[in-house]
Amino acid sequence: MIKSENLVYEYKRNISDNKEDRIRVLDGLNIDIEDGQFISIVGHNGSGKSTLARHLNALLMPTGGTLWVNGMDTSDENNTLSIRQNTGMVFQNPDNQIVASVVEEDVAFALENIGVPTDDIWRRVEKSLATVGMIKYREDAPNHLSGGQKQRIAIAGILAMKPRCIVLDESTAMLDPGGRKEVIDAVRELNSKEHINIILITHYMEETIYSDRIFVMNRGRIVMDGPPEHIFSDISMLKKYNLEAPQAVYIADRLRKEGFVINKPVLSMDDLVSVFADYKIGVGNVDRGKKS
Amino acid sequence: MSIEVRNLNYIYNEGTVFEKQGLRNINLTIEDGEFIGIIGHTGSGKSTLIQHFNGLNKPSSGTVLYNGDDIYKKGFSKKQLRSKVGLVFQYPEYQLFETTVLNDVKFGPKNIGLSEEDIDNNARDALEMAGIPKEMYNVSPLELSGGEKRRVAIAGVLAMKPKFLILDEPTAGLDPGGKNEILSLIDNLHKKDGVTIVLVSHSMEDVAKYATRLVVMNDGEIFISGTPGEVFKKYRELEKIGLSAPQTVYFLKELKNLGYDVNTDIITPDEAVREIVKKIHVKRI
């Protein structure tokens, strides 16, 4: 469980030799994330998404307010180690987070650091690699893998720690469409089968439609919080925050404006297809063959 | 004007145990006025290929011609070439280094030896094209937002008034608003200023919207090339090599499967809406 009360993060910036000002990156966030939820965080560049993410595993500590991860106050340094074992981060650039020259050794890296017995390490590494579908590459060199595969190795390294939460900070931004799908499929499965909390930070709106809740951040605040069908119901609002709707939502919105009757919520192209399938069987006031 | 790539091969670490073929037998002509999208999985050779277009990489065999001249032959001015063929790298904002936005943009034209006046005019033109407001000209580039930084970095290339502009994933990591700003800047350069564009992208939706021709790379080779409509018809083959078609393509194919008479060559959402309004007659309110 992740909970915050009036979470603030500020840093000082020198504007001249003897003058400085304060930049407030997080401006009083109140969040409450239950165990097992899939949360997406979207927002303009500089809105504070990554700063928030870095608080979730105590890479940064609040300068005001309080953040609790599994009941532990992140600003208490006695909690730092167990918070980091609980909450793993996957970053944007797949090449910057691989440390070993063999896949399975990379996945084992953190376990070695925290002193897990060797037998247990191999068992956990094997299980983690199997979970993300990378077991057959266990003895390969990571530099021969694709971007999506490297990110799945990074996820396996976190899984081996038996975390309760995985934070993906734009982990799909540098990937090709195939790689993006691999990563999203992997975290969706971890969420549904292993009930691991997923916090997905992304600029690809299509990736957020499977989440339980979406947080929209703007200038250090959470300005919208709700399920995808709620968030994407107001396209003009999203535009104001420098965002957009997934393409299926956009098409549905345009068609509604043309008078098409679309009563059910549309998030994906599959949803949109089912609207037209319904027309065929007479749902949605079909008047086939005639122009209206 | 054209850039012509002929029988080009590029081998990394040639002659060592790490030898690896990066590009294999590439033949490609970029004609004046085109908007080419280059797509391919990570590691397929896209970036290596475009770094040949202005002579940054030297092929192991084969060559590149600029307006018919071999760019690797002795006496060919690479400096001149690089002012005509502008290259915007991935995350170009990491290369901003000057104290002010304006000075940073002046760096390129200064290096090609223009007069003070031309340097200043070019830089201001470029910043205006990139949509950077005048109040920002004298602030440090580090003060700007992600999208602004990236537009300043692109302005630094535009200030050399290139005829060809090659961009390597220029929208990666930007929010949708920032992404659309960059894409409409590129589209304007193509339509209004007649700049030939080569856009490397992982977004099938973006290349579908803007490109006149697509080049698909796979494992260092050109896999297919053609108009976006022709290329995205082969979505099954694209999926096998780590790519996909824009979502609109799958949507229209499904409508067709349901028995609706819609044109499945359509690749953008706006066209799809027009097609549905025209062809699917259900009762509307």
Side-chain angles (χ1 to χ4, degrees), chain A residues 13 43-45 92 146-147 170 173-178 180 203 205-206 242-244 247 250-251 254-255 258-261 269 272-273 276-277 279-280 285-292, chain B residues 40-42 90-91 143 145-147 169 172-180 202 204-205 242-244 247-248 251 254-255 258-260 269-270 272-273 276-277 280-285:
Chain A
R13 181 181 59 166
H44 62 88
N45 291 110
Q92 185 177 126
S146 73
E170 293 191 41
M174 297 177 79
L175 305 183
D176 53 51
R180 277 201 312 260
H203 287 311
M205 301 300 136
E206 272 76 14
N242 238 16
L243 302 175
E244 63 190 3
Q247 285 203 342
Y250 172 79
I251 291 176
R254 293 266 324 259
L255 289 175
E258 294 285 348
F260 282 79
V261 181
M269 288 295 175
L272 208 48
V273 170
F276 283 88
Y279 289 156
K280 280 276 170 193
N285 299 328
V286 196
D287 190 8
R288 244 174 300 159
K290 274 182 233 157
K291 286 193 180 181
S292 54
Chain B
H41 61 83
T42 47
Q90 279 181 42
Y91 297 89
E143 305 269 302
S145 76
E169 291 186 50
L174 294 185
D175 59 50
K179 182 192 79 171
N180 291 335
H202 278 322
M204 304 300 121
E205 280 73 20
L243 303 175
S244 63
Q247 293 187 40
T248 304
F251 172 48
E254 288 299 323
L255 288 186
L258 284 173
Y260 291 108
D270 287 326
V273 169
I276 289 167
V277 169
I280 298 185
H281 304 300
V282 296
K283 191 173 171 188
R284 298 198 215 151
I285 48 169

Side-chain angles (χ1 to χ4, degrees), chain A residues 9 11 15 33 108 121 253-254 259 262 285-286:
Chain A
Y9 183 76
Y11 66 90
I15 33 180
I33 300 172
I121 289 185
D253 185 64
R254 293 266 324 259
I262 302 175
N285 299 328
V286 196

Side-chain angles (χ1 to χ4, degrees), chain B residues 107-161:
Chain B
F107 181 75
K110 239 182 229 169
N111 267 343
I112 54 173
L114 298 183
S115 70
E116 262 315 311
E117 199 189 340
D118 284 346
I119 293 170
D120 195 66
N121 286 340
N122 280 14
R124 284 170 194 278
D125 284 354
L127 282 165
E128 200 181 324
M129 275 190 245
I132 301 294
K134 287 208 170 59
E135 309 84 83
M136 283 185 189
Y137 287 11
N138 288 315
V139 305
S140 160
L142 304 177
E143 305 269 302
L144 308 180
S145 76
E148 288 161 354
K149 276 185 200 164
R150 191 147 318 165
R151 280 185 285 137
V152 169
I154 295 175
V157 174
L158 295 181
M160 291 184 281
K161 307 242 178 227

Side-chain angles (χ1 to χ4, degrees), chain A:
Chain A
M1 202 187 68
I2 298 163
K3 192 173 159 56
S4 79
E5 247 174 48
N6 199 28
L7 173 63
V8 170
Y9 183 76
E10 287 184 334
Y11 66 90
K12 287 176 192 160
R13 181 181 59 166
N14 288 326
I15 33 180
S16 62
D17 285 344
N18 47 17
K19 259 171 88 186
E20 57 182 27
D21 62 357
R22 284 164 174 277
I23 306 289
R24 187 172 270 219
V25 190
L26 297 180
D27 190 11
L29 298 189
N30 294 297
I31 55 175
D32 193 350
I33 300 172
E34 285 161 38
D35 273 343
Q37 280 200 321
F38 188 139
I39 307 281
S40 293
I41 306 181
V42 299
H44 62 88
N45 291 110
S47 60
K49 305 182 296 297
S50 293
T51 304
L52 172 59
R54 280 166 172 72
H55 277 80
L56 299 178
N57 72 345
L59 280 176
L60 291 174
M61 289 179 192
T63 56
T66 317
L67 173 69
W68 295 273
V69 173
N70 297 323
M72 292 177 283
D73 184 341
T74 63
S75 50
D76 182 347
E77 285 181 21
N78 294 321
N79 293 333
T80 304
L81 200 60
S82 61
I83 287 173
R84 289 194 188 148
Q85 289 178 24
N86 259 305
T87 304
M89 294 262 280
V90 185
F91 295 98
Q92 185 177 126
N93 190 335
D95 292 319
N96 291 351
Q97 39 194 336
I98 290 189
V99 291
S101 52
V102 179
V103 164
E104 59 184 3
E105 284 174 14
D106 191 81
V107 176
F109 181 74
L111 298 180
E112 285 169 349
N113 275 350
I114 58 170
V116 174
T118 312
D119 286 353
D120 201 17
I121 289 185
W122 292 120
R123 251 196 317 276
R124 290 209 216 171
V125 166
E126 193 169 311
K127 185 166 181 287
S128 308
L129 281 172
T131 308
V132 296
M134 289 297 291
I135 193 81
K136 69 174 176 186
Y137 299 97
R138 62 187 299 170
E139 286 167 9
D140 284 21
N143 60 322
H144 291 147
L145 301 177
S146 73
Q149 289 172 326
K150 284 178 192 164
Q151 292 298 54
R152 285 190 285 154
I153 298 298
I155 294 171
I158 296 168
L159 276 183
M161 307 272 284
K162 300 188 176 164
R164 291 170 71 168
C165 179
I166 299 180
V167 182
L168 297 108
D169 191 2
E170 293 191 41
S171 313
T172 57
M174 297 177 79
L175 305 183
D176 53 51
R180 277 201 312 260
K181 189 171 179 311
E182 285 170 30
V183 171
I184 296 299
D185 287 351
V187 295
R188 282 179 69 193
E189 194 166 314
L190 291 176
N191 179 251
S192 62
K193 290 203 181 138
E194 321 262 335
H195 309 290
I196 294 174
N197 258 4
I198 302 293
I199 314 272
L200 174 72
I201 298 178
T202 186
H203 287 311
Y204 291 105
M205 301 300 136
E206 272 76 14
E207 295 175 354
T208 69
I209 62 174
Y210 310 108
S211 41
D212 298 307
R213 279 158 78 191
I214 299 175
F215 295 168
V216 178
M217 289 194 66
N218 188 55
R219 296 167 184 262
R221 287 169 182 252
I222 291 174
V223 289
M224 293 169 89
D225 170 4
E229 54 274 22
H230 167 74
I231 300 292
F232 293 125
S233 64
D234 192 346
I235 295 182
S236 60
M237 194 68 153
L238 288 171
K239 251 197 179 140
K240 218 178 82 185
Y241 297 131
N242 238 16
L243 302 175
E244 63 190 3
Q247 285 203 342
V249 177
Y250 172 79
I251 291 176
D253 185 64
R254 293 266 324 259
L255 289 175
R256 282 193 188 103
K257 283 179 183 145
E258 294 285 348
F260 282 79
V261 181
I262 302 175
N263 289 324
K264 49 184 173 190
V266 170
L267 291 172
S268 67
M269 288 295 175
D270 286 345
D271 297 337
L272 208 48
V273 170
S274 87
V275 168
F276 283 88
D278 285 351
Y279 289 156
K280 280 276 170 193
I281 56 165
V283 181
N285 299 328
V286 196
D287 190 8
R288 244 174 300 159
K290 274 182 233 157
K291 286 193 180 181
S292 54

Side-chain angles (χ1 to χ4, degrees), chain B residues 51 56 87-92 95 166-170:
Chain B
Q51 285 167 19
L56 272 184
L87 182 58
V88 179
F89 286 97
Q90 279 181 42
Y91 297 89
Q95 300 164 47
I166 298 152
L167 306 107
D168 197 353
E169 291 186 50

Side-chain angles (χ1 to χ4, degrees), chain B:
Chain B
M1 268 185 310
S2 66
I3 297 174
E4 203 180 330
V5 178
R6 274 196 194 161
N7 305 321
L8 186 142
N9 284 278
Y10 183 75
I11 300 166
Y12 292 105
N13 303 310
E14 203 171 356
T16 74
V17 289
F18 300 107
E19 188 171 296
K20 190 178 177 260
Q21 184 124 16
L23 294 173
R24 192 187 304 270
N25 200 27
I26 304 283
N27 284 289
L28 173 68
T29 303
I30 301 161
E31 300 285 356
D32 201 14
E34 282 195 290
F35 190 133
I36 294 185
I38 300 188
I39 57 178
H41 61 83
T42 47
S44 60
K46 306 182 296 293
S47 301
T48 310
L49 173 62
I50 59 165
Q51 285 167 19
H52 283 87
F53 294 167
N54 72 348
L56 272 184
N57 276 341
K58 196 170 185 303
S60 306
S61 66
T63 194
V64 176
L65 308 178
Y66 180 72
N67 294 336
D69 291 330
D70 187 339
I71 66 168
Y72 297 105
K73 120 190 130 191
K74 242 187 160 170
F76 187 91
S77 167
K78 292 257 177 44
K79 206 171 197 173
Q80 276 297 319
L81 175 71
R82 285 172 193 155
S83 70
K84 297 294 166 220
V85 183
L87 182 58
V88 179
F89 286 97
Q90 279 181 42
Y91 297 89
E93 63 275 22
Y94 293 166
Q95 300 164 47
L96 296 172
F97 69 102
E98 265 284 7
T99 47
T100 69
V101 164
L102 187 61
N103 282 342
D104 205 283
V105 174
K106 281 180 177 178
F107 181 75
K110 239 182 229 169
N111 267 343
I112 54 173
L114 298 183
S115 70
E116 262 315 311
E117 199 189 340
D118 284 346
I119 293 170
D120 195 66
N121 286 340
N122 280 14
R124 284 170 194 278
D125 284 354
L127 282 165
E128 200 181 324
M129 275 190 245
I132 301 294
K134 287 208 170 59
E135 309 84 83
M136 283 185 189
Y137 287 11
N138 288 315
V139 305
S140 160
L142 304 177
E143 305 269 302
L144 308 180
S145 76
E148 288 161 354
K149 276 185 200 164
R150 191 147 318 165
R151 280 185 285 137
V152 169
I154 295 175
V157 174
L158 295 181
M160 291 184 281
K161 307 242 178 227
K163 303 284 179 213
F164 291 81
L165 184 64
I166 298 152
L167 306 107
D168 197 353
E169 291 186 50
T171 63
L174 294 185
D175 59 50
K179 182 192 79 171
N180 291 335
E181 280 169 11
I182 300 268
L183 289 173
S184 52
L185 160 65
I186 297 169
D187 195 41
N188 271 333
L189 287 167
H190 178 241
K191 288 201 180 114
K192 289 195 192 138
D193 303 289
V195 179
T196 304
I197 305 286
V198 178
L199 174 69
V200 175
S201 178
H202 278 322
S203 168
M204 304 300 121
E205 280 73 20
D206 293 346
V207 292
K209 188 166 172 191
Y210 296 104
T212 54
R213 183 155 67 104
L214 294 186
V215 174
V216 185
M217 298 289 296
N218 183 41
D219 288 336
E221 293 181 280
I222 294 182
F223 182 68
I224 32 174
S225 167
T227 64
E230 287 163 3
V231 168
F232 288 132
K233 261 205 176 121
K234 301 181 175 147
Y235 59 90
R236 287 222 169 82
E237 278 137 285
L238 294 179
E239 284 165 9
K240 279 185 205 140
I241 60 164
L243 303 175
S244 63
Q247 293 187 40
T248 304
V249 171
Y250 296 100
F251 172 48
L252 285 162
K253 180 180 67 88
E254 288 299 323
L255 288 186
K256 184 105 186 170
N257 287 346
L258 284 173
Y260 291 108
D261 176 30
V262 288
N263 176 2
T264 52
D265 292 345
I266 281 168
I267 55 176
T268 67
D270 287 326
E271 288 173 303
V273 169
R274 276 197 294 275
E275 177 73 3
I276 289 167
V277 169
K278 200 166 80 185
K279 298 268 188 69
I280 298 185
H281 304 300
V282 296
K283 191 173 171 188
R284 298 198 215 151
I285 48 169

